Amino acid sequence: MSINDLLRPDLRGRTPYGAPQLDVAVRLNTNENPHAPSPGLIDDLAKRVADAARHMNRYPDRDAVALRAELAAYLSRTTGQPLTAEQVWAANGSNEVIQQLLQAFGGAGRTALGFEPTYSMHGLICQGTGTGYVPAARLPGFHLEPDSAALVVREHAPEVVFLCSPNNPTGTALDLEVVEAVYDAAAGIVVVDEAYAEFSHRPSAITLLPGRERLVVTRTMSKAFAFAAARLGYLAADPAVVDALQLVRLPYHLSVLSQAAALAALAHADELLATVEDVKEQRDRLVREIRALDLEVVESDANFVLFGEFADQRLTWQALLDRGVLVRDVGLPGWLRVSAGTEDETGAFLKALADGMREVHG
Ligand SMILES: *Cc1c(COP(=O)(O)O)cnc(C)c1O
C-alpha cells in the first residue's frame, strides 16, 4: 500500500495551502502589517517570556484565563460591546479557532457554506475536518445583500455559515443587516471572520452578539496587531459556544510563550493600532493610484486591495516579481491582490505596476 492509498479518499489529490514565501525585497502577498514591533514592545515581550520560562517545567494555564480577560477588555474597549473572558476563546491563530469550530459543529455528514471568492482556508479547514463545503456566489462587485444571502442559506441549511468581513480577497465589508438576515435564516452556527476588522469603516458584528447565541466572531492578532509570527487568534461568542470548543481543543494548546507574548502585545495595543492609521493611508493610496493607471480596484475596508482586470493576471504577477515585488494571485481569473505596505514599499509596488503594465501590454 502506498501512502496515497492509505490517505483518506477525500484528501487524495489535494494541494496544501501555500502562499509563496519568496525572498524578495517587497513582500505584499500575505496581508501582514508592514510595521515591525517597537523596541519597547520587544523589551516587554522578552521580560514576560523570561518570567514565563521560570515555570517552563509546568503545563501552561489550559484555559488561558488571563489572556482571554485581556482580549475581552480589548474588544469591549474598541467595539463598545461589554464582553467577559467567558465569551472569548483563543488559539494558535484564528485558523485553529476555525478548525475547533468545525470539529465541534461541523464534521462528517455536515456542511458549511461560504460566499466565494472568500478566504480559502474556510474551505480547506472544512476538508481537513471532513465537513462538506458549499461555495455560494456573490453578487456583482463581490457584494452580498440581505435577502439573497438569506435565501441561499435557507436553501442549503448548512450547520455552519462563514461570513468574512472585510472579505479576503475582495476587501469588501458587510453591512450588519446582512449578518442579521443570514443569522435569522440559518439554523446553525454563523461565523463572521473579522480578521481585518481594525481596518474597516463599519461596525463590528460583535455588537450583534447579545441575544444571538449561535453567532461567532473570529479575530486575529496576525494583521492589525502586527503579530503574525506569534500565532494568536481568538473569538467572541456566547459562553455555551466556548464551552463546546473545550470538547475538541487539545489540552494546553496555547503555549505559555504564546500567552505571554500576546499579553505583551495587548499591553501595547494603542501603539500597535497607531500603525493601522498608517496602513489605511497606504491602502487608500493604492485604490487611488491603481485607478489612475486605468485599472479596476474593488473598494476596500481591509489592508489590501483586489485589482484587475487582466487578460492573464499571471503575466502581471510575474512582471511584478521580476521587479522585486511579490503580490498574491488568489486564483481569481483577471485579478491580483496586493497588501498595503510601508510608504516606500507601496511606492515600489506602484512603480513596478506602472512599468510592468507597459511591458505586458506594450
Ligand atoms: C489572515 C486571515 C486570517 C488569519 O489567520 P491566523 O491564523 O490568525 O493568522 C483569518 N481569516 C482571514 C480571512 C484572513 O485573511
Side-chain angles (χ1 to χ4, degrees):
M1 281 268 210
S2 74
I3 294 299
N4 195 52
D5 293 330
L6 294 170
L7 191 61
R8 273 168 34 195
D10 57 313
L11 294 180
R12 287 181 204 151
R14 303 281 191 185
T15 43
Y17 170 92
Q21 290 194 305
L22 302 178
D23 191 16
V24 298
V26 181
R27 283 182 298 174
L28 300 174
N29 71 327
T30 49
N31 300 341
E32 295 143 327
N33 187 320
H35 299 280
S38 69
L41 169 52
I42 294 168
D43 276 356
D44 190 14
L45 196 150
K47 280 200 198 79
R48 287 171 192 253
V49 167
D51 259 357
R54 274 200 271 274
H55 311 285
M56 201 67 98
N57 54 318
R58 302 288 181 190
Y59 281 111
D61 175 7
R62 197 171 46 215
D63 297 328
V65 175
L67 173 59
R68 286 161 60 203
E70 286 305 316
L71 290 167
Y74 165 71
L75 290 178
S76 305
R77 191 166 79 241
T78 49
T79 66
Q81 183 62 50
L83 293 172
T84 62
E86 291 71 36
Q87 292 167 282
V88 171
W89 180 245
N92 297 281
S94 51
N95 280 316
E96 189 180 31
V97 172
I98 292 166
Q99 176 168 277
Q100 292 172 343
L101 284 166
L102 287 172
Q103 286 176 316
F105 299 106
R110 295 183 160 210
T111 58
L113 179 147
F115 294 90
E116 298 284 328
T118 191
Y119 186 43
S120 62
M121 284 308 300
H122 295 161
L124 283 169
I125 299 171
C126 282
Q127 275 173 26
T129 58
T131 311
Y133 181 70
V134 179
R138 282 170 189 270
L139 299 170
F142 305 113
H143 286 292
L144 292 182
E145 295 287 347
D147 291 350
S148 52
L151 196 67
V152 72
V153 166
R154 258 191 229 99
E155 185 188 330
H156 292 279
E159 277 80 10
V160 178
V161 178
F162 286 110
L163 297 172
C164 191
S165 181
N167 183 49
N168 181 6
T170 59
T172 45
L174 293 176
D175 291 325
L176 291 185
E177 293 76 60
V178 176
V179 180
E180 291 179 88
V182 164
Y183 184 87
D184 291 341
I189 300 287
V190 176
V191 181
V192 185
D193 184 333
E194 288 196 348
Y196 301 97
E198 286 92 346
F199 303 102
S200 181
H201 303 99
R202 319 221 184 174
S204 165
I206 284 173
T207 58
L208 297 179
L209 283 175
R212 292 185 179 84
E213 68 166 356
R214 295 176 288 108
L215 183 63
V216 176
V217 182
T218 63
R219 293 284 191 103
T220 179
M221 297 182 91
S222 296
K223 308 289 162 57
F225 263 91
F227 227 52
R231 309 305 302 131
L232 205 295
Y234 55 107
L235 62 69
D238 190 275
V241 170
V242 174
D243 287 348
L245 298 185
Q246 320 264 339
L247 301 174
V248 297
R249 65 90 194 276
L250 296 175
Y252 317 110
H253 66 295
L254 259 189
S255 90
V256 72
L257 302 178
S258 302
Q259 296 185 40
L263 282 165
L266 284 161
H268 292 256
D270 291 343
E271 157 197 334
L272 286 165
L273 294 174
T275 68
V276 167
E277 289 312 310
D278 242 54
V279 173
K280 281 158 65 181
E281 255 179 56
Q282 296 308 312
R283 172 209 49 210
D284 294 340
R285 175 183 175 204
L286 282 171
V287 174
R288 266 193 327 271
E289 298 197 20
I290 300 174
R291 278 188 184 150
L293 296 173
D294 274 339
L295 291 168
E296 296 285 321
V297 185
V298 181
E299 209 59 61
S300 173
D301 271 70
N303 65 338
F304 56 84
V305 305
L306 190 70
F307 64 103
E309 294 188 48
F310 302 103
D312 184 348
Q313 81 282 355
R314 288 169 300 187
L315 297 179
T316 309
W317 184 86
Q318 186 63 50
L320 289 167
L321 187 59
D322 293 344
R323 289 162 177 79
V325 179
L326 181 60
V327 301
R328 189 70 173 277
D329 182 347
V330 292
L332 193 60
W335 297 91
L336 292 171
R337 191 193 70 193
V338 61
S339 316
T342 60
E343 188 174 357
D344 285 353
E345 289 168 334
T346 306
F349 160 76
L350 288 164
K351 181 173 184 309
L353 181 61
D355 291 353
M357 293 213 349
R358 241 170 269 127
E359 174 198 281
V360 173
H361 303 288

